[in-house]
Short mmCIF file of all heavy atoms in Angstrom, two decimals:
data_model
loop_
_atom_site.label_atom_id
_atom_site.label_comp_id
_atom_site.label_asym_id
_atom_site.label_seq_id
_atom_site.Cartn_x
_atom_site.Cartn_y
_atom_site.Cartn_z
N CYS A 217 -4.63 12.28 -10.43
CA CYS A 217 -5.69 11.34 -10.19
C CYS A 217 -6.32 11.55 -8.81
O CYS A 217 -7.55 11.50 -8.67
CB CYS A 217 -5.15 9.91 -10.27
SG CYS A 217 -4.70 9.43 -11.95
N LEU A 218 -5.52 11.80 -7.81
CA LEU A 218 -6.03 12.01 -6.46
C LEU A 218 -6.94 13.23 -6.42
O LEU A 218 -8.04 13.16 -5.78
CB LEU A 218 -4.85 12.17 -5.46
CG LEU A 218 -4.00 10.97 -5.21
CD1 LEU A 218 -2.74 11.37 -4.41
CD2 LEU A 218 -4.79 9.91 -4.42
N ARG A 219 -6.57 14.30 -7.13
CA ARG A 219 -7.40 15.51 -7.14
C ARG A 219 -8.70 15.27 -7.87
O ARG A 219 -9.77 15.76 -7.52
CB ARG A 219 -6.60 16.63 -7.78
CG ARG A 219 -5.55 17.18 -6.86
CD ARG A 219 -4.68 18.19 -7.61
NE ARG A 219 -3.68 18.76 -6.66
CZ ARG A 219 -2.53 19.27 -7.07
NH1 ARG A 219 -2.21 19.28 -8.36
NH2 ARG A 219 -1.71 19.77 -6.18
N LYS A 220 -8.66 14.44 -8.99
CA LYS A 220 -9.90 14.11 -9.69
C LYS A 220 -10.84 13.35 -8.77
O LYS A 220 -12.09 13.54 -8.81
CB LYS A 220 -9.56 13.31 -10.95
CG LYS A 220 -9.00 14.11 -12.07
CD LYS A 220 -8.70 13.22 -13.27
CE LYS A 220 -8.12 14.00 -14.43
NZ LYS A 220 -7.79 13.13 -15.56
N ILE A 221 -10.27 12.41 -7.97
CA ILE A 221 -11.15 11.61 -7.09
C ILE A 221 -11.77 12.55 -6.02
O ILE A 221 -12.96 12.43 -5.77
CB ILE A 221 -10.30 10.51 -6.41
CG1 ILE A 221 -9.83 9.48 -7.44
CG2 ILE A 221 -11.17 9.79 -5.35
CD1 ILE A 221 -8.80 8.51 -6.87
N GLU A 222 -10.98 13.41 -5.53
CA GLU A 222 -11.54 14.39 -4.52
C GLU A 222 -12.65 15.23 -5.12
O GLU A 222 -13.68 15.51 -4.47
CB GLU A 222 -10.43 15.27 -3.94
CG GLU A 222 -9.46 14.49 -3.09
CD GLU A 222 -8.42 15.39 -2.42
OE1 GLU A 222 -8.24 16.54 -2.86
OE2 GLU A 222 -7.87 14.98 -1.38
N ASP A 223 -12.46 15.65 -6.39
CA ASP A 223 -13.50 16.47 -7.04
C ASP A 223 -14.79 15.66 -7.24
O ASP A 223 -15.93 16.10 -7.04
CB ASP A 223 -12.97 17.04 -8.38
CG ASP A 223 -11.93 18.10 -8.20
OD1 ASP A 223 -11.86 18.64 -7.06
OD2 ASP A 223 -11.20 18.36 -9.14
N LEU A 224 -14.60 14.39 -7.70
CA LEU A 224 -15.74 13.54 -7.99
C LEU A 224 -16.50 13.17 -6.72
O LEU A 224 -17.73 13.03 -6.69
CB LEU A 224 -15.27 12.27 -8.68
CG LEU A 224 -14.88 12.38 -10.16
CD1 LEU A 224 -14.21 11.14 -10.63
CD2 LEU A 224 -16.06 12.74 -11.08
N ARG A 225 -15.81 13.00 -5.62
CA ARG A 225 -16.36 12.49 -4.38
C ARG A 225 -16.65 13.53 -3.36
O ARG A 225 -17.35 13.29 -2.35
CB ARG A 225 -15.40 11.47 -3.78
CG ARG A 225 -15.11 10.25 -4.60
CD ARG A 225 -16.11 9.20 -4.37
NE ARG A 225 -16.15 8.76 -2.95
CZ ARG A 225 -17.08 8.03 -2.42
NH1 ARG A 225 -18.07 7.62 -3.17
NH2 ARG A 225 -17.00 7.69 -1.14
N GLY A 226 -16.16 14.78 -3.57
CA GLY A 226 -16.28 15.82 -2.57
C GLY A 226 -15.70 15.38 -1.23
O GLY A 226 -16.25 15.61 -0.18
N SER A 227 -14.47 14.84 -1.29
CA SER A 227 -13.75 14.24 -0.13
C SER A 227 -12.33 14.62 -0.10
O SER A 227 -11.80 15.22 -1.01
CB SER A 227 -13.92 12.72 -0.12
OG SER A 227 -13.20 12.18 -1.23
N ARG A 228 -11.62 14.21 0.95
CA ARG A 228 -10.16 14.21 0.97
C ARG A 228 -9.71 12.75 0.85
O ARG A 228 -10.30 11.86 1.49
CB ARG A 228 -9.67 14.80 2.30
CG ARG A 228 -10.12 16.24 2.58
CD ARG A 228 -9.65 17.20 1.44
NE ARG A 228 -8.22 17.11 1.25
CZ ARG A 228 -7.30 17.75 1.98
NH1 ARG A 228 -7.69 18.55 2.99
NH2 ARG A 228 -6.00 17.64 1.75
N VAL A 229 -8.69 12.52 0.03
CA VAL A 229 -8.27 11.16 -0.29
C VAL A 229 -6.93 10.89 0.35
O VAL A 229 -6.01 11.68 0.25
CB VAL A 229 -8.20 10.96 -1.84
CG1 VAL A 229 -7.71 9.57 -2.14
CG2 VAL A 229 -9.61 11.16 -2.43
N LEU A 230 -6.86 9.67 0.95
CA LEU A 230 -5.64 9.14 1.50
C LEU A 230 -5.43 7.82 0.78
O LEU A 230 -6.27 6.95 0.75
CB LEU A 230 -5.75 8.87 2.99
CG LEU A 230 -4.60 8.17 3.67
CD1 LEU A 230 -3.34 8.94 3.70
CD2 LEU A 230 -5.01 7.79 5.12
N ALA A 231 -4.23 7.61 0.20
CA ALA A 231 -3.93 6.41 -0.58
C ALA A 231 -2.88 5.60 0.17
O ALA A 231 -1.90 6.13 0.71
CB ALA A 231 -3.44 6.73 -1.95
N TYR A 232 -3.12 4.27 0.24
CA TYR A 232 -2.17 3.35 0.84
C TYR A 232 -2.08 2.10 -0.01
O TYR A 232 -3.07 1.40 -0.18
CB TYR A 232 -2.65 3.01 2.29
CG TYR A 232 -1.75 1.99 3.00
CD1 TYR A 232 -0.33 2.04 2.83
CD2 TYR A 232 -2.25 1.11 3.91
CE1 TYR A 232 0.49 1.13 3.48
CE2 TYR A 232 -1.43 0.19 4.62
CZ TYR A 232 -0.05 0.22 4.39
OH TYR A 232 0.78 -0.65 5.08
N VAL A 233 -0.93 1.87 -0.57
CA VAL A 233 -0.71 0.80 -1.56
C VAL A 233 0.52 0.01 -1.11
O VAL A 233 1.58 0.55 -0.84
CB VAL A 233 -0.47 1.37 -2.96
CG1 VAL A 233 -0.10 0.27 -3.89
CG2 VAL A 233 -1.70 2.11 -3.45
N THR A 234 0.33 -1.32 -0.99
CA THR A 234 1.48 -2.19 -0.75
C THR A 234 1.71 -3.03 -1.98
O THR A 234 0.79 -3.68 -2.49
CB THR A 234 1.23 -3.14 0.47
OG1 THR A 234 0.11 -3.95 0.25
CG2 THR A 234 0.94 -2.29 1.75
N GLY A 235 2.94 -3.04 -2.48
CA GLY A 235 3.25 -3.70 -3.73
C GLY A 235 3.33 -5.20 -3.59
O GLY A 235 3.66 -5.74 -2.51
N ASP A 236 3.02 -5.92 -4.68
CA ASP A 236 3.11 -7.41 -4.60
C ASP A 236 4.01 -7.93 -5.74
O ASP A 236 3.75 -8.96 -6.35
CB ASP A 236 1.69 -8.00 -4.71
CG ASP A 236 0.92 -7.46 -5.88
OD1 ASP A 236 1.48 -6.74 -6.70
OD2 ASP A 236 -0.26 -7.81 -5.94
N ARG A 237 5.11 -7.20 -5.96
CA ARG A 237 6.05 -7.65 -7.02
C ARG A 237 6.92 -8.75 -6.51
O ARG A 237 7.65 -8.58 -5.50
CB ARG A 237 6.94 -6.48 -7.41
CG ARG A 237 7.93 -6.81 -8.53
CD ARG A 237 8.96 -5.66 -8.61
NE ARG A 237 9.90 -5.94 -9.73
CZ ARG A 237 11.07 -5.32 -9.84
NH1 ARG A 237 11.46 -4.45 -8.92
NH2 ARG A 237 11.87 -5.58 -10.87
N PRO A 238 6.90 -9.95 -7.06
CA PRO A 238 7.79 -11.03 -6.59
C PRO A 238 9.26 -10.60 -6.87
O PRO A 238 9.56 -9.98 -7.88
CB PRO A 238 7.39 -12.22 -7.49
CG PRO A 238 6.03 -11.86 -7.96
CD PRO A 238 6.00 -10.41 -8.13
N PRO A 239 10.21 -11.02 -6.06
CA PRO A 239 10.01 -11.93 -4.86
C PRO A 239 9.82 -11.21 -3.54
O PRO A 239 9.86 -11.84 -2.50
CB PRO A 239 11.28 -12.75 -4.89
CG PRO A 239 12.35 -11.73 -5.31
CD PRO A 239 11.65 -10.83 -6.28
N VAL A 240 9.70 -9.86 -3.51
CA VAL A 240 9.65 -9.18 -2.27
C VAL A 240 8.30 -8.42 -2.12
O VAL A 240 8.22 -7.20 -2.22
CB VAL A 240 10.83 -8.21 -2.06
CG1 VAL A 240 12.10 -8.95 -1.71
CG2 VAL A 240 11.08 -7.35 -3.35
N GLN A 241 7.25 -9.17 -1.97
CA GLN A 241 5.95 -8.55 -1.80
C GLN A 241 5.82 -7.87 -0.48
O GLN A 241 6.29 -8.39 0.54
CB GLN A 241 4.82 -9.62 -1.90
CG GLN A 241 4.75 -10.33 -3.30
CD GLN A 241 5.55 -11.59 -3.35
OE1 GLN A 241 6.54 -11.78 -2.67
NE2 GLN A 241 5.13 -12.50 -4.28
N ALA A 242 5.24 -6.68 -0.48
CA ALA A 242 5.04 -5.95 0.77
C ALA A 242 3.71 -6.33 1.40
O ALA A 242 2.79 -6.81 0.74
CB ALA A 242 5.07 -4.43 0.48
N GLN A 243 3.64 -6.07 2.72
CA GLN A 243 2.39 -6.32 3.43
C GLN A 243 2.08 -5.16 4.35
O GLN A 243 2.94 -4.32 4.64
CB GLN A 243 2.56 -7.60 4.32
CG GLN A 243 2.63 -8.89 3.53
CD GLN A 243 2.58 -10.13 4.44
OE1 GLN A 243 3.04 -10.08 5.52
NE2 GLN A 243 1.96 -11.16 3.93
N ILE A 244 0.82 -5.09 4.71
CA ILE A 244 0.44 -4.08 5.71
C ILE A 244 1.21 -4.36 6.97
O ILE A 244 1.25 -5.49 7.47
CB ILE A 244 -1.10 -4.20 5.97
CG1 ILE A 244 -1.87 -3.70 4.77
CG2 ILE A 244 -1.49 -3.37 7.22
CD1 ILE A 244 -3.38 -3.94 4.87
N GLY A 245 1.87 -3.30 7.48
CA GLY A 245 2.73 -3.49 8.64
C GLY A 245 2.61 -2.32 9.62
O GLY A 245 2.15 -1.21 9.25
N ASP A 246 3.03 -2.54 10.85
CA ASP A 246 3.01 -1.51 11.84
C ASP A 246 3.81 -0.31 11.45
O ASP A 246 3.54 0.83 11.89
CB ASP A 246 3.50 -2.09 13.18
CG ASP A 246 3.38 -1.06 14.30
OD1 ASP A 246 2.28 -0.71 14.75
OD2 ASP A 246 4.47 -0.59 14.74
N ASP A 247 4.89 -0.51 10.66
CA ASP A 247 5.76 0.57 10.27
C ASP A 247 5.00 1.63 9.43
O ASP A 247 5.48 2.78 9.33
CB ASP A 247 6.97 0.03 9.49
CG ASP A 247 6.55 -0.71 8.26
OD1 ASP A 247 5.91 -1.78 8.42
OD2 ASP A 247 6.79 -0.26 7.13
N ALA A 248 3.91 1.29 8.80
CA ALA A 248 3.18 2.18 7.94
C ALA A 248 2.27 3.10 8.76
O ALA A 248 1.82 4.16 8.23
CB ALA A 248 2.28 1.42 6.95
N VAL A 249 1.99 2.76 10.00
CA VAL A 249 1.05 3.60 10.81
C VAL A 249 1.52 5.03 10.99
O VAL A 249 0.77 6.01 10.83
CB VAL A 249 0.77 2.93 12.17
CG1 VAL A 249 -0.08 3.83 13.06
CG2 VAL A 249 0.13 1.56 11.97
N ARG A 250 2.84 5.21 11.23
CA ARG A 250 3.35 6.50 11.48
C ARG A 250 3.24 7.42 10.31
O ARG A 250 2.73 8.58 10.43
CB ARG A 250 4.80 6.37 11.94
CG ARG A 250 5.48 7.75 12.37
CD ARG A 250 4.78 8.33 13.59
NE ARG A 250 5.34 9.55 13.99
CZ ARG A 250 5.13 10.78 13.44
NH1 ARG A 250 4.26 10.81 12.43
NH2 ARG A 250 5.68 11.85 13.86
N PRO A 251 3.70 7.06 9.08
CA PRO A 251 3.49 7.97 7.95
C PRO A 251 2.01 8.24 7.61
O PRO A 251 1.63 9.35 7.22
CB PRO A 251 4.19 7.29 6.76
CG PRO A 251 4.39 5.86 7.21
CD PRO A 251 4.51 5.91 8.69
N LEU A 252 1.14 7.23 7.85
CA LEU A 252 -0.30 7.43 7.59
C LEU A 252 -0.87 8.42 8.62
O LEU A 252 -1.68 9.31 8.23
CB LEU A 252 -1.03 6.12 7.70
CG LEU A 252 -0.84 5.13 6.51
CD1 LEU A 252 -1.31 3.75 6.85
CD2 LEU A 252 -1.46 5.66 5.25
N ILE A 253 -0.41 8.40 9.84
CA ILE A 253 -0.87 9.36 10.83
C ILE A 253 -0.39 10.74 10.41
O ILE A 253 -1.20 11.74 10.53
CB ILE A 253 -0.39 9.00 12.19
CG1 ILE A 253 -1.15 7.79 12.74
CG2 ILE A 253 -0.54 10.16 13.21
CD1 ILE A 253 -0.70 7.26 14.09
N THR A 254 0.83 10.87 9.96
CA THR A 254 1.29 12.14 9.53
C THR A 254 0.46 12.79 8.40
O THR A 254 0.10 13.97 8.45
CB THR A 254 2.76 12.05 9.02
OG1 THR A 254 3.63 11.62 10.08
CG2 THR A 254 3.30 13.38 8.45
N LEU A 255 0.05 11.92 7.45
CA LEU A 255 -0.77 12.41 6.40
C LEU A 255 -2.18 12.81 6.87
O LEU A 255 -2.74 13.79 6.42
CB LEU A 255 -0.93 11.32 5.31
CG LEU A 255 0.35 10.95 4.55
CD1 LEU A 255 0.17 9.72 3.68
CD2 LEU A 255 0.80 12.13 3.68
N LEU A 256 -2.74 12.05 7.80
CA LEU A 256 -4.03 12.38 8.37
C LEU A 256 -3.99 13.70 9.19
O LEU A 256 -4.92 14.47 9.14
CB LEU A 256 -4.55 11.24 9.26
CG LEU A 256 -5.05 10.02 8.52
CD1 LEU A 256 -5.28 8.85 9.48
CD2 LEU A 256 -6.40 10.32 7.76
N ARG A 257 -2.91 13.92 9.85
CA ARG A 257 -2.78 15.17 10.64
C ARG A 257 -2.67 16.32 9.72
O ARG A 257 -3.21 17.43 10.01
CB ARG A 257 -1.51 15.06 11.51
CG ARG A 257 -1.67 14.15 12.73
CD ARG A 257 -0.35 14.07 13.48
NE ARG A 257 -0.06 15.35 14.12
CZ ARG A 257 -0.50 15.76 15.28
NH1 ARG A 257 -1.29 14.95 16.03
NH2 ARG A 257 -0.18 16.96 15.81
N GLU A 258 -2.04 16.16 8.53
CA GLU A 258 -1.98 17.26 7.57
C GLU A 258 -3.32 17.50 6.93
O GLU A 258 -3.64 18.67 6.58
CB GLU A 258 -0.88 16.95 6.52
CG GLU A 258 0.51 16.94 7.09
CD GLU A 258 1.57 16.70 6.06
OE1 GLU A 258 1.21 16.36 4.90
OE2 GLU A 258 2.77 16.76 6.36
#
């Protein structure tokens, strides 16, 4: 799917998804910044 989006958009795609499954819903947090930076550097 990511490759299809890149082909359709002529872009590079970065995905960030936080789950909302009860009872432990995830939220955007500072801990996610480091792996996202790693992906952007690559």
Side-chain angles (χ1 to χ4, degrees):
C217 290
L218 291 170
R219 287 173 177 153
K220 285 181 180 178
I221 296 170
E222 290 188 341
D223 290 342
L224 289 169
R225 298 273 301 167
S227 66
R228 300 300 307 276
V229 176
L230 173 67
Y232 179 33
V233 174
T234 62
D236 51 9
R237 181 194 185 198
V240 283
Q241 296 94 332
Q243 291 190 326
I244 291 174
D246 182 71
D247 58 293
V249 174
R250 184 65 179 81
L252 288 167
I253 288 177
T254 297
L255 294 171
L256 285 169
R257 288 177 66 87
E258 291 181 354

